[in-house]
Amino acid sequence: MKIVESLKWRYATKKFDPNKKLTPIQVDGILQVLNLTPTSYGLQPLKFLRIVNPEIREELVSASWNQRQVTDASDLIVICIENRFTEEDVDQFINRTASKRNEDAKTPRYDSFKKMLMKIVDWSKDDYQNWARKQAYIALGNLMTACAVEQIDACPMEGFDAKKYDEILGLDKLDLSSVLVCPIGFRSEDDRNSQLAKIRKEHHEIVIEIN
Ligand SMILES: Cc1cc2nc3c(=O)[nH]c(=O)nc-3n(C[C@H](O)[C@H](O)[C@H](O)COP(=O)(O)O)c2cc1C
């Protein structure tokens, strides 16, 4: 399969070429990929930040274990969760769904759907945020795969101080928390990591077939 070749081509890029930039079409496509990420019930408790300002990106380096990908990559994506989930969010989701599907939101079917989704509103803050974080990782996976298919380099990153990111980016005011960072762009010709052999378990170590 072609996608296997693409996934063998990709690697966590350590050194980006700062002169190589994504085209506006690539940027738009990547942002669409993020929005198209499937989430539990389709609730999308996420926001995707694209950090354009170079001074802010420079400030983020020290909050990223000094990983320079944050400034050198063409684009910097920060995947955030929304800090809370409210009845208003449920209503908005239900109204959007009904409207897009030319249905009436005031039906017993939608009422029971709302009742089910209201259980998430009642979860503890920790339970809600843990669930939302899982959705963030789905977006990261989707982003990595899409980048590979489009021959765009990327580096998934958990190696950053989320509290410092939240401060620098003013996320408190937006009621968001940063979860994952992903610089995307094009590898530098002298990134040694591009030459390293890919390390993965053998097929029999990772796949179990139950007949
Ligand atoms: C969730 C996640 C967090 C990661 N965080 C970092 C990071 O902070 N810095 C980094 O250089 N690589 C990071 N990596 C890259 C992994 O080290 C890399 O994906 C792994 O070693 C497999 O190598 P490959 O992606 O080149 O195939 C992260 C990967 C994932 C999936």
Side-chain angles (χ1 to χ4, degrees), residues 10-12 14 65 67 69 137 140 155-159 180 198 200:
R10 69 148 295 281
Y11 73 105
K14 300 286 175 196
W65 303 358
Q67 299 185 83
Q69 297 101 309
Y137 279 81
L140 180 73
C155 185
M157 281 174 50
E158 278 177 325
L180 290 158
K198 203 163 253 329
R200 291 295 188 270

Side-chain angles (χ1 to χ4, degrees), residues 134-152:
K134 291 178 191 165
Q135 316 307 314
Y137 279 81
I138 303 172
L140 180 73
N142 216 20
L143 174 61
M144 303 310 302
T145 306
C147 282
V149 167
E150 295 297 326
Q151 301 246 300
I152 294 169

